[in-house]
Amino acid sequence: MPAFPHSTTYSTAHSTTATVTAAAVPPSLSLPIIEAAFPRQLHPYWPKLQEKTRSWLLEKRLMPADKVAEYADGLCYTDLMAGYYLGASEEVLQAIADYSAWFFVWDDRHDRDVVHGRAGAWRQLRFRLHAALDAPTAHLHHPDPLVAGLADSVGRLFSFLPGTWNARFTRHFHAVIEAYDREFRNRVQGRIPTVEEYLALRRLTFAHWIWTDLLEPSAGCELPEVVRKHPSYRRAALLSQEFAAWYNDLCSLPKEIAGDEVHNLGISLITHEGLTLEEAVDEVRRRVEECISEFLAVEKDVLLLAERLDDGTVQGKQVSAAVQACLANMRNWFSSVYWFHHESGRYMVDSWDDRSTPPYVNNEAAGEK
């Protein structure tokens, strides 16, 4: 399967370019500035990445063999990561891609637990994931594939940078697990959060700081706290993630309305701000476009920060280069996320037999009859 089969163009790290069939992007979802000002790039390891992540999903029993064969490539999970973490070593990118694929499978399990009212199963999984995150090596052979898969993927991620980075990642992901629990309870109760409550929860369920943390092993350097907490760097990182989360909300709104979801910026705007569906779509789109324009402005400030960090010392030069690499990949996130939503079978709701049940989810394998 060729990379980016439906996009307009793509570039590898060696700047070779291919022109292929353009994706059909609905006018309400089209962002010309992304297509024009955020060139799409692809890590040259992508073909091998796709193959190995497919094998990993099978080996870890995270998806049934028939689902992997029919849907794994079309879901484009590896395309998303290969378009984001440019410059990462092959080993780092593979660990990130496997973790990302695990995350999508976990999200699907969470959804099915909600839909089928499996509160006890979700509670048990939640506690086991916390335990596996704290002690990956002790959970590599856990009977639940999701627990073992998390242990394997984070254990590999923890091998690249010092323990301080590992502790930060662990802290951030514990918060993500707890946010998923809050989402579970909201959905079971049919409770739609207010806009502000939703935005705060979304930053956790979308794992904003996890994907930002992973910029560092991709750059081969743990950034000093003074850099990570610098207002310009932090703002650029947040904007890249907010764009992704809100654009996801824009694209997945039909799927989530069909599935009686309660967590979507559009749904919160309709419920608590009294907007019509059309007005909510316009407002989410406005926020998405604002993320892009703000990023383009703050990007310049981060480049100035990187310039100042290069103080003539070896360490200064290394940190400066790492900041530039992280910023470049924040920029890559915009285009990678944009095209992912128009190429991945995860969002092609109109092609599903049942708009509330993704065809790549195996209910029986999850214990349902």
Side-chain angles (χ1 to χ4, degrees):
M1 174 183 171
F4 306 152
H6 307 298
S7 61
T8 48
T9 61
Y10 74 86
S11 307
T12 70
H14 302 292
S15 299
T16 57
T17 302
T19 301
V20 288
T21 307
V25 181
S28 62
L29 303 176
S30 175
L31 296 171
I33 190 169
I34 293 293
E35 298 181 33
F38 290 78
R40 191 174 188 186
Q41 298 188 80
L42 181 71
H43 198 292
Y45 180 63
W46 173 81
K48 197 60 145 178
L49 184 74
Q50 185 184 57
E51 175 189 331
K52 287 195 170 184
T53 294
R54 193 189 316 123
S55 297
W56 186 78
L57 287 168
L58 283 171
E59 177 194 339
K60 298 301 175 184
R61 298 179 294 117
L62 288 164
M63 288 176 69
D66 61 330
K67 299 292 185 183
V68 170
E70 187 171 358
Y71 297 109
D73 288 355
L75 290 170
C76 301
Y77 297 160
T78 54
D79 304 48
L80 179 64
M81 294 298 110
Y84 184 17
Y85 296 103
L86 273 290
S89 71
E90 293 179 0
E91 186 181 17
V92 167
L93 186 60
Q94 188 66 64
I96 292 174
D98 291 349
Y99 169 75
S100 170
W102 174 89
F103 201 113
F104 280 112
V105 174
W106 174 50
D107 187 73
D108 292 333
R109 168 85 74 87
H110 176 266
D111 177 69
R112 295 294 94 188
D113 281 349
V114 171
V115 169
H116 295 278
R118 297 194 300 251
W122 163 251
R123 188 182 311 111
Q124 185 178 64
L125 176 61
R126 169 188 162 208
F127 293 146
R128 287 173 172 175
L129 293 179
H130 279 305
L133 184 60
D134 284 333
T137 55
H139 292 79
L140 289 172
H141 304 291
H142 194 281
D144 186 329
L146 266 181
V147 178
L150 177 65
D152 179 84
S153 59
V154 299
R156 287 152 60 202
L157 290 173
F158 288 169
S159 68
F160 302 122
L161 291 179
T164 46
W165 184 91
N166 297 347
R168 174 164 33 108
F169 180 97
T170 298
R171 184 175 69 252
H172 286 161
F173 198 64
H174 277 309
V176 170
I177 296 169
E178 286 305 291
Y180 262 70
D181 184 56
R182 291 200 295 279
E183 181 174 301
F184 184 95
R185 285 182 275 119
N186 282 344
R187 288 185 64 188
V188 167
Q189 296 165 9
R191 180 180 177 276
I192 298 172
T194 65
V195 172
E196 289 309 310
E197 182 186 355
Y198 170 76
L199 294 177
L201 182 62
R202 184 64 160 148
R203 286 173 186 143
L204 293 171
T205 57
F206 198 83
H208 282 23
W209 302 116
I210 289 293
W211 306 118
T212 300
D213 287 339
L214 289 168
L215 292 168
E216 293 169 60
S218 299
C221 175
E222 181 182 20
L223 295 177
E225 183 176 8
V226 68
V227 173
R228 288 187 285 105
K229 293 191 174 180
H230 188 282
S232 296
Y233 182 88
R234 193 168 177 83
R235 184 64 180 161
L238 180 62
L239 286 166
S240 74
Q241 294 298 320
E242 297 279 53
F243 164 82
W246 298 347
Y247 192 68
N248 175 272
D249 280 2
L250 195 62
C251 294
S252 62
L253 189 55
K255 166 189 166 186
E256 293 182 340
I257 288 176
D260 292 324
E261 248 289 3
V262 298
H263 290 96
N264 184 293
L265 179 53
I267 293 172
S268 287
L269 287 165
I270 291 167
T271 304
H272 294 288
E273 304 294 332
L275 273 59
T276 64
L277 175 60
E278 293 75 14
E279 289 169 341
V281 167
D282 288 344
E283 174 59 16
V284 176
R285 183 185 173 93
R286 184 193 67 77
R287 291 177 184 235
V288 165
E289 292 174 338
E290 198 170 71
C291 283
I292 301 168
S293 59
E294 282 192 40
F295 179 84
L296 290 171
V298 78
E299 181 181 37
K300 298 171 184 175
D301 296 332
V302 181
L303 287 171
L304 288 174
L305 170 65
E307 188 178 311
R308 290 196 299 272
L309 288 167
D310 188 356
D311 57 4
T313 65
V314 172
Q315 182 182 18
K317 186 178 184 64
Q318 181 188 32
V319 172
S320 174
V323 168
Q324 292 178 66
C326 291
L327 178 65
N329 282 337
M330 290 176 199
R331 165 178 268 277
N332 287 333
W333 192 224
F334 285 86
S335 57
S336 194
V337 162
Y338 179 76
W339 290 111
F340 171 70
H341 281 86
H342 302 297
E343 296 171 1
S344 173
R346 197 172 177 86
Y347 303 99
M348 296 180 182
V349 183
D350 291 338
S351 68
W352 300 357
D353 291 336
D354 177 354
R355 289 170 62 87
S356 66
T357 304
Y360 47 85
V361 170
N362 188 310
N363 282 340
E364 188 174 343
E368 302 155 26
K369 301 295 182 187

